[in-house]
Amino acid sequence: MAVVLRVSGRNARFQQWKALLGNRTKRQRRGEFLVQGVRPITMAVEHGWQIRELLYDTSAQLSSWAREALDTVRAEKFAVSRELMHELGGKADTVPELLAVVALREDNLRRIPVGPTMLTVVFDRPTSPGNIGTLVRSADAFGAGGVIVTGHAADVYDPKAVRASTGSLFALPVVRVPSHQAVLSWVADVRADGIGMSIMGTDEYGILDAAEYDFTQPTLTLIGNETTGLSSGWREACDQLVRIPMFGSASSLNAATAATVVLYESARQRAATARR
């Protein structure tokens, strides 16, 4: 394994990596982000994302996983001091043995799979990167084909979002779109191709309980902002508003939790239909 560069001080290269962690504009300008964690890095490699750089701890006894990645993944390799790896790793109590710089994927709705059983989730103006990652993880777990993040929102590629997705960000198409109009134009094209996609929004005042909605049809499932819910534009676009029944003293559910409940109900209905 050839070492391209050894980094032991806070030089320009290190400052670039540091910026990828904390600066959304720098991530977008460079078209890349820093990935922490064994599973996220593994998933990025397995799902064919472009790995531009691999950083490893010079003082660590590397695991077989890390050695295999360094030997097999086509990327620039950097031997980085333990102190700097700790600073980039995002955890106070551990030092990562490996970090990856990965190229961003294109924000294009053509990445979202289309078909008669399609289930796509829209997260409207989320403010929490952790909620984005958690929703992506649930969408992956319960069979959604893709996630669309609309409006002025937290960054899909924020380290907190990437970590919360536990690698699902790399397995599922996740696309950022500036406004709901572009998504509705895409929906119109999908419908024009003969796929009767329904737009379903989650709302505490919805007419139907989630279990009463037919999730076996092609569906665009809308999850609103954590504080204000769905925008007026999305609310007007909905074919149906669905509520999640609640019985305790809690006034509402976390947005990502609400999405998980709805996605589970979708998976339950689709599995029951498949068994018939």
Side-chain angles (χ1 to χ4, degrees):
M1 182 186 67
V3 175
V4 175
L5 187 64
R6 187 172 293 271
V7 178
S8 57
R10 290 172 174 77
N11 61 11
R13 178 69 72 167
F14 174 80
Q15 297 303 329
Q16 287 176 1
W17 295 329
K18 190 78 172 174
L20 294 180
L21 288 177
N23 192 312
R24 178 178 188 162
T25 301
K26 293 287 179 64
R27 287 193 292 268
Q28 200 61 37
R29 186 177 299 148
R30 294 185 61 83
E32 60 192 23
F33 62 115
L34 192 71
V35 179
Q36 307 154 323
V38 174
R39 180 167 174 79
I41 293 173
T42 299
M43 294 285 278
V45 173
E46 287 183 356
H47 289 277
W49 286 60
Q50 182 192 358
I51 313 298
R52 291 182 175 173
E53 299 170 354
L54 285 174
L55 291 54
Y56 68 95
D57 180 359
T58 54
S59 61
Q61 183 68 38
L62 296 178
S63 66
S64 58
W65 165 78
R67 289 196 302 271
E68 181 180 1
L70 289 166
D71 288 340
T72 61
V73 175
R74 295 186 61 184
E76 285 190 277
K77 314 297 194 313
F78 291 86
V80 181
S81 73
R82 188 173 187 81
E83 178 188 1
L84 299 184
M85 287 293 284
H86 181 243
E87 196 169 330
L88 295 172
K91 293 184 178 181
D93 55 345
T94 58
V95 179
E97 58 178 347
L98 200 67
L99 296 167
V101 176
V102 180
L104 302 181
R105 285 278 171 96
E106 183 182 12
D107 286 312
N108 192 320
L109 287 168
R110 287 195 297 270
R111 290 179 54 210
I112 304 293
V114 171
T117 62
M118 66 184 294
L119 174 65
T120 304
V121 183
V122 170
F123 203 171
D124 178 36
R125 300 164 297 129
T127 59
S128 164
N131 277 341
I132 293 176
T134 300
L135 183 144
V136 170
R137 182 180 182 179
S138 295
D140 184 22
F142 293 119
V147 173
I148 302 169
V149 177
T150 60
H152 184 69
D155 189 14
V156 168
Y157 299 103
D158 184 287
K160 294 178 182 177
V162 178
R163 284 198 300 270
S165 81
T166 64
S168 290
L169 173 67
F170 303 104
L172 199 68
V174 181
V175 178
R176 301 170 294 179
V177 179
S179 71
H180 69 284
Q181 287 97 336
V183 183
L184 292 178
S185 177
W186 172 75
V187 169
D189 290 341
V190 170
R191 288 171 170 172
D193 287 337
I195 297 169
M197 178 188 282
S198 175
I199 301 178
M200 185 278 290
T202 54
D203 186 88
E204 61 180 320
Y205 302 111
I207 296 172
L208 296 179
D209 283 355
E212 297 173 325
Y213 180 81
D214 179 12
F215 280 102
T216 63
Q217 63 184 315
T219 300
L220 188 71
T221 297
L222 310 180
I223 306 296
N225 169 273
E226 294 94 336
T227 303
T228 60
L230 292 171
S231 68
S232 58
W234 270 127
R235 194 176 292 273
E236 291 170 6
C238 286
D239 300 307
Q240 189 66 260
L241 288 174
V242 167
R243 65 178 178 268
I244 298 171
M246 296 174 57
F247 306 103
S249 60
S251 61
S252 62
L253 291 175
N254 168 276
T257 302
T260 301
V261 172
V262 171
L263 285 162
Y264 171 79
E265 175 59 24
S266 170
R268 186 194 67 78
Q269 289 187 22
R270 291 177 178 223
T273 299
R275 287 193 296 268
R276 291 174 191 159

